Amino acid sequence: MLTPGVYTIDQSVRLELESSLRAAPAALAAAETLDDVTDDIRAAFRLTLEQLDAIRTQAEAHTWASQVTALMSSLVERPLLSSDEFQRALEDPAPRLDLRVGDEEPITVVKSRALNVEGDLDEPLRRLVRGAGFRGDLLEVVLQRLTTSPKPMFVFDRGATETKRAEA
């Protein structure tokens, strides 16, 4: 069996995304119109007035937090890769990727689970967002956040890959 390439999570990208999603309801709770929303949040979430109203209702909801947690876990298993890293993964003869998330046990996934941040992310991410429990306008808000200027969440770790393959 071929040893999979090692991809390490970019914690700064993960934390930025998770923080913006977790904070959105509280950050938007006082906004009554789109004009009350900061330019950064408006750009990151591409909000409509209906979506603003929907997310404002989540400010005190524990459901939102658990859905964000579920979504972030799902995103770890569908690694977002840069175009170059995505191509590298597809060209690697190993059928799987070894995903490293901090000190946690590595997660091994088939490489077809990887997503190219420059590709069409709408449908695969829509499934993840729906799977995390988001519906209606909230699903659209979260999807818009994920697909607006997406960043790679994992990067190829050449050193760890070479070490792992040498040990195999």
Side-chain angles (χ1 to χ4, degrees):
M1 183 159 167
L2 298 170
T3 304
V6 175
Y7 291 78
T8 304
I9 197 159
D10 183 332
Q11 290 287 14
S12 66
V13 171
R14 179 185 186 188
L15 290 173
E16 175 192 345
L17 179 60
E18 185 171 6
S19 296
S20 74
L21 288 170
R22 284 195 188 284
L28 297 171
E32 293 186 19
T33 70
L34 290 175
D35 291 336
D36 297 333
V37 178
T38 65
D39 291 340
D40 321 358
I41 293 175
R42 200 175 328 166
F45 285 89
R46 297 188 332 237
L47 290 171
T48 66
L49 187 54
E50 294 78 18
Q51 293 167 341
L52 173 61
D53 289 341
I55 201 167
R56 286 176 54 218
T57 67
Q58 298 299 306
E60 299 298 321
H62 297 292
T63 307
W64 178 269
S66 64
Q67 290 170 326
V68 170
T69 299
L71 175 62
M72 295 309 296
S73 294
S74 296
L75 283 171
V76 167
E77 296 175 9
R78 290 298 311 259
L80 292 165
L81 304 177
S82 71
S83 184
D84 290 342
E85 303 287 3
F86 182 76
Q87 186 174 0
R88 176 193 316 275
L90 292 182
E91 290 174 352
D92 189 318
R96 299 185 176 280
L97 305 176
D98 185 18
L99 306 176
R100 307 279 173 95
V101 180
D103 294 334
E104 297 173 23
E105 281 293 313
I107 300 166
T108 303
V109 298
V110 293
K111 64 184 175 184
S112 62
R113 303 267 310 151
L115 298 170
N116 180 352
V117 295
E118 295 177 27
D120 183 8
L121 297 173
D122 188 72
E123 194 49 43
L125 291 181
R126 181 177 297 279
R127 284 193 298 270
L128 289 182
V129 173
R130 188 178 300 118
F134 293 99
R135 300 288 184 270
D137 284 333
L138 296 177
L139 183 149
E140 295 303 322
V141 166
V142 173
L143 182 62
Q144 287 163 191
R145 174 61 185 92
L146 293 175
T147 58
T148 300
S149 304
K151 296 178 184 174
M153 199 177 295
F154 282 86
V155 293
F156 180 67
D157 188 332
R158 183 178 307 280
T161 298
E162 289 172 358
T163 299
K164 186 173 180 165
R165 288 181 174 167
E167 292 171 352

